[in-house]
């Protein structure tokens, strides 16, 4: 007996009920009751009660109805723990029958009574008796005749008279709603939204406020902010002579809430009720500590609040709402920080396809760099640059991009590649420069000579046709879609400032150019964690020199060419140092295989032969000689530093001279030099010896003493395993998790995109390991590496600088293992800063509650 009373509870201010047992709606209604809002009488059924009903035990309708007057009509609404998990639709007007109809014809009027009865008959038939909706197709209007027809249709189809007893109706409604929740498809649907397999459903049974009849009657929704921006704006609609919220969306007869030149409004019609509603909404905001939407009904001039739900919001609105609540002292800054999903910030940082726009999807790939842009298709970097020169937006479409495409990528509004994964060239550069990018769209067919793109269903797009790249969702859309602009507003800035107060791990940016560095500064990065210097050699004037250097036979010749590259490198670094104003800048020495700088087509080879004044055959032979079966595991990174030391020496000289110059009229620069692809201690020793000599030379020639730090990029499994000996010569170790993932899995980062989605679907991998750090396998190497390095060199600085750096999961990992910083694409810096703050706050809260 005791148990029953607990599972069926009248919602009163003091009733003992939690959202975990009765669902969010029931709990919210109790809060509204506590605020003394005019909530109609409500009874809540617990998850347990509803589960019993679903398993065949009839609902205790006597107890439920005992809380209502015998003449009340009632409705039943779902109350799951989270509103996002859905639930069966509400059923209104339970209790309608011939007798009530007759009474309501007198009190509300014949029209209103007919609508109430008719809508109940229809809802009951379809949702409870599970009859086909089309049995009512022939019925026109909502009058008495229509009602008669509907009752007849029910009788014919169900072979029984429409149930007349309120308790019988309610029993069936409750049973049908309870069973619907336990169905397989409903379960799968809510599990996809994060519900546990055993998530329960509560139900609330509420006295009806009709919204129909004599005097001012109707239903509406009201909230105090815009769902799109979060800006204060009374938003919603009201519809006279209506029930429920369904009719309000886009309904011609729905009127405005506030006075509006375009038409009638609730404010003009019933100003006192409007004012009351505004006051109630404000009260709810303060006491429920959230922006709420009110569902209300007016019955003959009398206001009822039926429900309150958390205002639906897009990412920019979520940030603004959280900040405004904190600024108004309603929630703390910590709570505001916890209320914004870090990943959703990318919607504030980039333009997005308007979520309300109809989408014509041509193909899908990997969402490699967020944001969206439209433009005319071009298939070469040259065409992209020509397009930019004409001020025409273009989308660069390539099989995959290489460093030679950098200028084209800068010129394009977005990039689409047929191949590649989350750490492929296009993806890394796209994220670095904030360029929307979809990679690995392997369902498209590119014909580069005809300049066409063919989709899976045979649709052909020519150069010049307009497409939209949605890098946030990994979709390519036909034509130009409507966009919403980035929202780097004051709310975003406040959130970021607060985040920095709580975050306890530093966040640097991967930045290769002055523009990247400026973006990093704008997002308050704590320095540059990775400057990939090879990108600096692809500028047209430098490329020729690089090629000359590659073709030089002797060290002296190489040095002579490198001497001409030196001032260019120096000026690159001066710019970076000046922008970063004394913050740490970690410069990675040259990394890629040299043949990436050589032409592969006949025309390019001829041009090179001209420039070098060599026969074509000689040039071709040298290029062939340099080819490798596995270039990413070949002569690159430190292996070049050891075998062709002149390149690193030139870079070190440029770095030191730039540091001296930038320090002269600015903050002191202590450059960090990072050696890539190390796998053995001896490699570090050799490079360190050379760099120390260069430093000594520069100190002597300049007469300036300067400091620098030399460190190692740990991106081979061996370097992680041997971190103890490598750390002895290193001021810092930075884990390059892109290559480390590639080598740990033995999985090409450029080709994995071809089958990754199938691997994830079949749950071989929980997630694409190039996207989300594999904390088990790769993570074990990071942990081992960090532990061993610290044993040998307790002060060694440890970080992650692969593309994973900005992900909340990687930040959690890095914090847990005491890393000093993470470094990520500039546009991910805010996401990383917020994620870091959230982790610190959550940890503190857990610690305090354990005390
Ligand atoms: C890495 O390998 O993780 C890295 C940051 O370097 P890159 O992506 O340039 O190979
Ligand atoms: Mg690497």
């Amino acid at each position: 007996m005791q148990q029953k009373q607990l599972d069926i509870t009248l919602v009163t201010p003091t009733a003992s009920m939690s959202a975990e047992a009765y669902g969010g709606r029931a709990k919210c209604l109790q809060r509204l009751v506590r605020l003394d809002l005019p909530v109609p009488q409500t009874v809540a059924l617990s998850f347990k009660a509803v589960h019993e009903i679903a398993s065949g035990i009839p609902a205790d309708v006597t107890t439920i109805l005992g809380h209502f007057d015998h003449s009340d009509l009632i409705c039943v609404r779902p109350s799951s723990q989270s509103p996002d998990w859905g639930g069966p639709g509400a059923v209104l007007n339970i209790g309608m029958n011939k007798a009530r109809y007759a009474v309501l014809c007198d009190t509300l009027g014949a029209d209103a009574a007919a609508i109430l009865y008719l809508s109940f008959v229809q809802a009951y038939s379809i949702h409870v008796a599970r009859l086909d909706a089309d049995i009512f197709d022939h019925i026109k209007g909502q009058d008495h005749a229509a009602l008669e027809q509907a009752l007849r249709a029910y009788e014919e189809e169900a072979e029984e008279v429409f149930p007349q007893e309120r308790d019988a109706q309610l029993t069936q409604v409750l049973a049908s709603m309870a069973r619907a929740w336990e169905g397989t498809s409903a379960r799968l649907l809510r599990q996809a939204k994060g519900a546990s397999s055993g998530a329960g459903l509560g139900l609330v049974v509420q006295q009806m406020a009709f919204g129909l009849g004599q005097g001012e009657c109707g239903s509406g929704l009201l909230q105090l902010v815009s769902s799109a921006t979060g800006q204060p704006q009374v938003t919603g609609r009201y519809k006279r002579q209506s029930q429920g919220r369904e009719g309000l969306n886009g309904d011609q007869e729905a009127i405005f809430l506030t006075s509006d030149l375009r038409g009638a409004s609730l404010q003009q019609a019933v100003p006192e009720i409007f004012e009351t509603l505004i006051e109630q909404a404000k009260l709810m905001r303060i006491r429920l500590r959230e922006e709420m939407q009110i569902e209300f009904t007016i019955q003959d001039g009398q206001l009822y609040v039926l429900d309150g739900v958390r205002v639906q919001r897009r990412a920019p609105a979520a940030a603004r709402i959280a900040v405004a609540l904190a600024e108004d002292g309603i929630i703390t800054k910590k709570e505001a920080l916890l209320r914004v999903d870090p990943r959703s910030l990318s919607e504030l940082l980039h333009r997005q396809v308007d979520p309300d726009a109809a989408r014509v999807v041509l193909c899908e790939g990997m969402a490699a760099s967020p944001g969206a842009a439209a433009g005319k298709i071009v298939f070469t970097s040259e065409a992209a640059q020509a397009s930019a020169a004409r001020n025409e937006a273009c989308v660069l479409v390539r099989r995959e991009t290489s460093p030679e495409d950098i200028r084209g990528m800068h010129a394009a509004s977005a990039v689409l590649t047929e191949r590649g994964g989350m750490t492929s060239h296009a993806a890394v550069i796209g994220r670095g420069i904030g360029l929307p990018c979809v990679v690995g769209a392997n369902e498209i067919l590119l014909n580069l000579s005809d300049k066409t793109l063919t989709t899976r269903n045979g649709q052909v797009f020519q150069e010049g046709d307009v497409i939209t790249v949605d890098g946030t969702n990994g979709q390519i859309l036909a034509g130009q879609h409507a966009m919403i602009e980035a929202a780097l507003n004051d709310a975003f800035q406040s959130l970021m400032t607060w985040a920095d107060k709580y975050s306890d791990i530093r966040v640097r940016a991967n930045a290769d150019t002055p523009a990247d560095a400026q973006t990093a500064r704008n997002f308050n990065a704590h320095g540059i964690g990775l400057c990939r210097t090879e990108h600096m050699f692809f500028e047209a004037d430098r490329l020729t020199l690089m090629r000359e250097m590659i073709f030089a036979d002797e060290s002296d010749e190489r040095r002579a060419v490198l001497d001409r590259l030196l001032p260019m490198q120096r000026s690159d670094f001066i710019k970076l140092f000046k922008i970063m104003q004394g913050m740490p800048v970690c410069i990675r020495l040259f990394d890629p295989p040299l043949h990436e700088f050589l032409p592969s087509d006949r025309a390019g080879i001829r041009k090179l032969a001209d420039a070098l004044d060599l026969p074509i055959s000689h040039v071709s032979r040298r290029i062939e000689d340099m080819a490798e079966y596995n270039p990413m595991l070949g002569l690159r990174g430190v292996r070049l530093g050891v075998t062709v030391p002149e390149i690193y020496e030139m870079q070190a000289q440029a770095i030191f001279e730039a540091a001296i110059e930038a320090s002269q009229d600015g903050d002191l620069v202590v450059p960090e030099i990072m050696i890539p692809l190390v796998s053995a201690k001896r490699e570090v020793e050799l490079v360190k010896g050379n760099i120390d000599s260069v430093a000594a030379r520069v100190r002597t020639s300049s007469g300036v003493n300067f400091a620098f730090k030399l460190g190692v990029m740990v991106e081979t499994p061996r370097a992680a395993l041997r971190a103890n000996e490598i750390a002895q010569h290193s001021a810092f170790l930075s884990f390059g998790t892109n290559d480390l993932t590639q080598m740990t899995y033995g999985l090409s980062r450029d080709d994995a995109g071809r089958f990754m989605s199938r691997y994830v679907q079949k749950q071989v991998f929980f997630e694409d390991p190039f996207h989300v750090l594999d904390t088990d396998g790769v993570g074990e190497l990071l942990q081992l590496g960090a532990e061993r390095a610290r044993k040998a060199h307790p002060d060694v600085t440890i970080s992650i600088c692969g593309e994973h750096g900005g992900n909340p999961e990687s930040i959690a990992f890095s914090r847990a293992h005491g890393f000093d910083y993470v470094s990520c694409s500039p546009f991910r810096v805010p996401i990383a800063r917020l994620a870091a703050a959230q982790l610190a706050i959550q940890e503190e809260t857990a610690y305090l509650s354990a005390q």
Side-chain angles (χ1 to χ4, degrees):
M1 186 61 196
Q2 177 69 10
Q3 188 60 35
K4 269 220 158 56
Q5 280 183 356
L6 282 176
D7 287 324
I8 297 173
T9 306
L10 181 65
V11 179
T12 62
T14 52
S16 150
M17 47 188 292
S18 65
E20 289 70 34
Y22 288 84
R25 172 170 272 140
K27 187 69 207 170
C28 179
L29 283 167
Q30 184 181 41
R31 291 189 174 129
L32 303 189
V33 169
R34 284 181 183 154
L35 297 182
D36 239 355
L37 298 185
V39 178
Q41 179 94 326
T42 306
V43 171
L45 275 63
S46 72
F47 294 171
K48 181 164 172 283
V50 176
H51 181 66
E52 281 176 3
I53 296 169
S55 58
I57 302 171
D60 181 0
V61 292
T62 314
T63 300
I64 299 170
L65 290 173
H67 293 292
F68 297 95
D69 192 89
H70 77 277
S71 63
D72 284 343
L73 296 191
I74 51 180
C75 64
V76 184
R77 299 169 201 268
S79 176
S80 53
Q81 200 168 329
S82 158
D84 297 340
W85 300 346
V91 179
L92 311 182
N93 306 318
I94 300 163
M96 269 313 272
N97 55 20
K98 277 199 181 110
R100 292 297 304 144
Y101 174 59
V103 173
L104 291 177
C105 280
D106 288 342
T107 54
L108 300 181
D111 289 347
I115 292 172
L116 289 180
Y117 199 2
L118 176 64
S119 61
F120 178 54
V121 171
Q122 291 182 327
Y124 187 94
S125 304
I126 297 165
H127 302 299
V128 182
R130 306 273 164 207
L131 305 182
D132 283 340
D134 59 13
I135 65 167
F136 301 116
D137 277 357
H138 62 288
I139 299 174
K140 305 275 174 278
Q142 292 188 296
D143 56 6
H144 180 78
L147 172 64
E148 292 288 319
Q149 284 176 310
L151 285 166
R152 247 195 324 276
Y154 177 90
E155 278 173 26
E156 278 166 22
E157 199 60 26
E159 297 180 354
E160 63 170 22
V161 176
F162 188 77
Q164 294 293 300
E165 299 304 324
R166 186 175 67 166
D167 51 3
Q169 293 171 352
L170 180 61
T171 302
Q172 293 307 321
V173 169
L174 294 173
S176 123
M177 290 175 79
R179 282 196 302 263
W181 179 255
E182 310 241 335
T184 309
S185 50
R187 190 190 341 256
L188 289 177
L189 218 67
R190 63 179 176 266
Q191 276 178 258
K193 292 178 184 159
S196 68
S197 56
L201 174 75
L203 291 171
V204 295
V205 182
Q206 194 173 59
Q207 182 192 358
M208 282 297 300
F210 302 126
L212 295 158
Q214 320 285 344
E216 183 63 47
C217 290
S219 310
L221 299 170
L222 177 144
Q223 62 190 49
L224 299 174
V225 293
S226 147
S227 287
T229 65
Q231 293 278 10
Q233 178 186 326
V234 177
T235 307
R237 287 285 185 275
Y238 170 71
K239 188 178 168 191
R240 288 195 159 127
Q241 301 296 332
S242 80
Q243 311 191 293
R245 53 168 60 215
E246 287 72 24
L248 294 169
N249 278 344
D251 192 300
Q252 297 289 322
E253 291 169 33
I255 63 172
F256 299 103
L257 295 180
T258 46
S259 300
D260 197 301
L261 292 174
R262 290 169 294 174
S265 70
L266 183 71
Q267 189 173 21
Q268 280 168 333
V270 272
E272 330 71 55
I273 292 183
F274 174 81
E275 289 309 326
T276 307
L277 267 169
I278 296 287
E279 287 315 309
Q280 289 173 347
K282 286 183 182 164
L283 182 67
M284 278 166 76
R285 177 175 184 264
I286 294 168
R287 299 290 289 277
L288 273 55
R289 309 169 75 246
E290 180 52 292
E291 267 320 329
M292 300 294 289
Q293 182 188 60
I294 297 190
E295 181 175 343
F296 65 94
T297 286
I298 302 172
Q299 181 65 45
D300 196 11
Q302 178 80 31
L303 176 65
Y304 295 94
V305 173
L306 306 188
D307 205 357
V309 294
R310 193 176 163 269
V311 163
Q312 298 262 347
R313 61 201 71 182
R314 292 192 189 146
R320 183 170 288 288
I321 288 171
V323 168
L325 286 168
E327 280 173 344
D328 292 347
I330 296 169
I331 61 174
T332 63
K333 288 176 181 167
K334 287 186 194 174
E335 279 178 291
L337 288 165
L338 291 174
R339 286 188 184 193
V340 179
D341 174 5
R343 288 184 204 276
S344 78
L345 286 187
S346 88
E347 281 185 48
L348 277 72
L349 302 173
H350 307 278
R351 297 169 90 207
Q352 303 291 338
V353 174
D354 185 341
D356 295 335
R359 287 176 172 246
V360 187
V361 181
L362 301 181
C363 65
E364 303 208 16
M366 287 189 178
S369 174
K376 292 184 175 173
I377 296 175
V378 292
F379 292 97
T380 63
S381 286
E382 291 73 29
Q385 289 168 61
S387 193
R390 294 193 300 274
N391 265 337
E392 267 176 22
C394 68
V395 173
L396 178 60
V397 181
R398 305 282 290 151
R399 278 200 207 295
E400 58 202 334
T401 61
S402 71
E404 274 182 283
D405 291 310
I406 290 273
R407 292 164 75 94
M409 292 181 76
H410 276 283
S413 309
V415 171
L416 162 65
T417 67
E418 182 191 355
R419 299 181 187 150
M422 292 303 289
T423 53
S424 61
H425 180 265
V428 171
I429 298 297
R431 285 196 292 273
I433 61 179
L435 186 69
C437 178
V438 171
V439 300
N442 46 25
E443 287 182 349
I444 55 171
L445 213 70
L446 295 188
N447 186 329
L448 298 176
S449 41
D450 288 358
K451 295 197 165 60
T452 56
L453 176 165
T454 307
T455 64
R456 195 182 184 184
N457 63 10
Q459 227 179 326
V460 180
F461 288 80
Q462 319 272 351
E463 187 162 55
D465 288 346
V466 174
I467 56 173
T468 298
V469 173
D470 180 347
T472 305
N473 294 306
Q475 292 184 330
I476 306 300
L477 314 171
Q480 164 98 44
H481 278 59
M483 304 275 180
I484 48 174
E485 292 302 324
L488 291 182
N489 49 34
D490 49 338
F492 169 81
Q493 303 299 358
S494 304
L495 209 59
M496 286 294 109
T497 311
W498 301 346
D500 283 349
K501 249 177 86 184
Y502 299 105
S503 155
D504 55 7
I505 185 165
R506 300 185 81 70
V507 179
R508 294 198 198 177
N510 296 350
D512 307 338
T513 62
D516 292 349
Q518 195 54 58
T519 311
R521 287 282 296 160
N522 296 347
F523 288 141
N524 277 341
H526 302 116
I528 293 179
L530 172 62
C531 168
R532 295 174 163 101
T533 48
E534 58 272 13
H535 296 146
M536 297 167 168
F537 296 106
F538 281 95
E539 298 285 325
D541 49 342
R542 303 173 188 203
L543 191 56
T544 316
L545 285 174
M546 268 309 273
R547 289 171 172 173
E548 254 185 68
M549 192 273 298
I550 294 168
F551 269 78
D553 288 319
E554 301 298 332
S555 172
D556 283 354
E557 277 180 61
R558 256 195 303 276
R559 275 191 211 288
V561 186
L562 286 165
D563 278 349
R564 289 159 67 201
L565 279 167
L566 176 77
M568 302 178 190
Q569 274 273 268
R570 192 170 46 221
S571 85
D572 293 333
F573 297 138
I574 291 172
K575 283 181 204 147
L576 284 187
F577 291 149
K578 287 197 165 162
I579 292 170
M580 297 311 292
Q581 296 180 329
M583 286 186 173
V585 176
C586 180
I587 296 168
R588 180 180 72 183
L589 298 173
F590 192 89
D591 184 40
L594 288 178
H595 66 78
E596 275 196 12
F597 293 83
L598 297 178
S600 51
D601 60 326
R602 184 120 189 112
I605 293 174
R606 171 189 289 265
K607 247 166 96 186
L608 182 57
D610 273 349
L612 299 175
D613 196 18
L614 288 171
I616 289 188
S617 60
H618 180 99
V619 173
S620 302
R621 208 169 35 251
R622 281 292 294 270
I623 294 177
E624 274 166 30
D625 284 350
M626 289 177 71
E628 293 176 297
Y629 283 107
N630 243 331
M632 296 317 282
L633 301 180
L635 183 55
R636 54 169 281 221
V638 71
R639 297 163 198 172
L640 279 170
V642 169
T643 57
V644 194
E646 300 85 357
I647 303 176
Y648 280 11
E649 285 166 18
M650 179 279 284
Q651 290 197 293
Q653 186 179 340
I655 293 168
F656 296 143
E657 291 175 356
I660 292 172
E661 180 165 343
S663 303
Q664 260 165 14
D665 49 359
D667 302 274
L668 180 71
V669 178
V670 179
E672 297 175 6
I673 300 180
M674 180 155 71
I675 316 172
L677 213 77
V678 165
S679 58
K681 169 178 94 161
R682 183 76 186 131
E683 291 169 325
V684 186
E685 286 169 351
L686 289 172
V687 173
K688 182 170 169 12
N690 288 344
I691 289 180
D692 283 343
S693 317
V694 175
R697 266 204 323 273
V698 175
R699 283 189 186 114
T700 311
S701 62
S702 65
V704 179
N705 199 4
F706 56 85
F708 71 96
K709 292 180 183 169
L710 185 71
V712 164
M713 188 158 183
V714 178
E715 49 185 344
T716 67
R718 194 176 190 283
L721 294 170
R722 308 303 296 171
N724 49 344
E725 45 187 37
I726 287 172
Q728 288 164 15
H729 302 296
S730 313
F732 61 89
L733 297 186
S734 191
F735 289 100
T737 47
N738 303 335
D739 274 312
L740 193 56
T741 300
Q742 166 163 267
M743 293 189 214
T744 305
Y745 278 80
L747 177 61
S748 158
R749 59 197 264 192
D750 298 305
D751 301 312
R754 292 189 189 198
F755 62 89
M756 189 54 73
S757 57
R758 272 170 288 160
Y759 248 54
V760 173
Q761 253 166 27
K762 289 184 189 283
Q763 296 175 355
V764 183
F765 299 157
F766 170 64
E767 259 288 0
D768 177 349
F770 291 109
H771 190 198
V772 175
L773 182 71
D774 159 41
T775 46
D776 301 334
V778 179
E780 193 172 343
L781 278 173
L782 299 188
Q783 193 181 337
L784 268 180
E787 278 168 15
R788 291 179 183 180
R790 284 200 191 109
K791 257 200 196 123
H793 182 170
D795 295 336
V796 68
T797 301
I798 300 207
S799 63
I800 288 186
C801 65
E803 288 304 303
H804 304 89
N807 289 349
E809 301 81 7
S810 317
I811 295 169
F813 181 92
S814 303
R815 283 184 76 252
H817 294 91
F819 288 16
D820 298 279
Y821 69 86
V822 294
S823 188
C824 55
S825 308
F827 284 93
R828 282 193 171 181
V829 168
I831 298 171
R833 287 165 61 201
L834 178 56
Q838 290 188 345
L839 288 160
I841 294 168
Q842 279 157 355
E843 205 171 271
E844 184 194 78
T845 315
Y847 174 78
L848 289 177
S849 60
Q851 291 303 296

